[in-house]
């Protein structure tokens, strides 16, 4: 079931869409199961007719977009022969005529539907159509990041509870730590970001073999990210690509981290960070 955070992200996306596209009415919702989406977020509507409407796959314009997993549009909703008309009363109550519906698809699975509409029967131009599609892609990216965060959090908690003693087990812990830290800057929800960082901290100290005297070392989050990439054998260029930074910026973070850690080489920096409990 969609959560409160997803609802906030949908609201923000609709607000951006209305500003960038010029569409007077935008609305949408996420799927509650494989075949039904509930219209929960609206912007620019004048009535409550659409709120809470449950859209079934194959029914109406949005249902057609869900079933086909591709954008669909009509110039005049009420008279269109290319869609079924289960939702005509709600659409008419809001006075909508020209409507586009774009599915939100994550890893080939439809997760929601986004609508843009006008109250006049006109053909929507490419610029408007593209704006709705682009907004749907933004929502897809947000959902994909959230899915990955949840997967890695589950894996991270499992590694924390039982890092194991078999060969390679600690490399799994370290890889989970690197992946989680790389996702932190992409997460907009403060609570989820804090949860990510908390699991990262538990992974970093999971072995218990840390030097007490080194625990006073404090690195900035991005400095830890860079050192974690270095620990995986990444070059500055590779670390920059992974973290979405410029190579020069990575070099600066690494230089700063090495100074704080009292390290003169990349390897010394990794060893010192592990002794300080900053890396697993």
């Amino acid at each position: 079931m969609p959560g409160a955070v997803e609802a906030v992200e949908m609201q923000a996306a609709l607000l951006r869409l209305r500003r960038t596209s010029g569409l007077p009415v935008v609305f949408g919702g996420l799927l509650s199961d494989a075949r039904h989406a509930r219209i929960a977020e609206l912007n620019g509507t004048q009535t409550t007719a659409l709120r809470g409407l449950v859209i079934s796959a194959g029914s109406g314009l949005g249902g057609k977009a869900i079933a086909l997993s591709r954008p669909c549009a009509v110039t005049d909703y009420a008279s269109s022969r290319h869609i079924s008309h289960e939702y005509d009363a709600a659409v008419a109550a809001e006075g909508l005529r020209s409507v586009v519906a774009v599915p939100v698809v994550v890893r080939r699975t439809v997760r929601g539907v986004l609508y843009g509409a006008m109250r006049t029967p006109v053909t929507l131009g490419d610029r408007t159509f593209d704006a709705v599609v682009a907004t749907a892609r933004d929502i897809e990216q947000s959902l994909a990041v959230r899915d990955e965060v949840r997967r890695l959090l589950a894996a991270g908690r499992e590694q924390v509870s039982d890092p194991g003693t078999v060969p390679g087990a600690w490399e799994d812990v370290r890889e989970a730590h690197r992946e989680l830290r790389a996702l932190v800057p992409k997460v907009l929800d403060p609570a989820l970001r804090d949860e990510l960082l908390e699991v990262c901290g538990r992974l970093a100290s999971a072995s218990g073999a840390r030097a007490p005297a080194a625990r006073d070392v404090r690195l900035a989050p991005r400095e830890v990210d860079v050192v974690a990439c270095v620990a995986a054998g990444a070059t500055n260029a590779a670390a920059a690509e992974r973290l979405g930074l410029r190579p020069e910026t990575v070099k600066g973070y690494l230089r700063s981290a090495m100074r704080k850690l009292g390290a003169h080489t990349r390897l010394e920096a990794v060893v010192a960070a592990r002794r300080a409990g900053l890396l697993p």
Side-chain angles (χ1 to χ4, degrees), residues 30-94:
L30 299 178
L31 267 66
S32 55
D33 58 44
R35 293 187 56 82
H36 299 90
R38 180 176 178 273
I39 304 303
E41 310 304 329
L42 306 98
N43 194 300
T45 52
Q46 297 176 348
T47 73
T48 59
L50 297 170
R51 185 175 298 279
L53 199 64
V54 176
I55 307 299
S56 299
S59 300
L61 184 67
K64 182 177 179 180
I66 292 171
L68 297 178
S69 191
R70 64 174 175 82
C72 299
V74 294
T75 300
D76 191 349
Y77 193 100
S79 63
S80 175
R81 299 180 179 179
H82 302 293
I83 60 171
S84 61
H85 289 274
E86 292 87 345
Y87 312 111
D88 280 9
V91 173
E94 188 58 44

Side-chain angles (χ1 to χ4, degrees), residues 246-261:
R246 297 173 58 189
E248 296 81 2
T249 304
V250 167
K251 186 176 180 180
Y253 280 132
L254 181 57
R255 186 186 302 114
S256 175
M258 290 172 66
R259 183 175 64 253
K260 293 177 182 179
L261 292 165

Side-chain angles (χ1 to χ4, degrees), residues 23 73-75 98-100 116-118 122-129 132:
L23 287 165
V74 294
T75 300
S98 180
V99 185
V100 58
M118 300 186 71
V122 297
T123 301
L124 296 174
D126 289 344
R127 181 173 175 273
T128 300
F129 189 87
V132 183

Side-chain angles (χ1 to χ4, degrees), residues 203-223:
L203 283 171
S205 59
S207 75
R210 302 294 183 249
R215 289 188 178 275
D216 290 337
V217 177
R218 294 289 184 270
L219 297 186
R222 274 311 201 187
E223 291 171 348

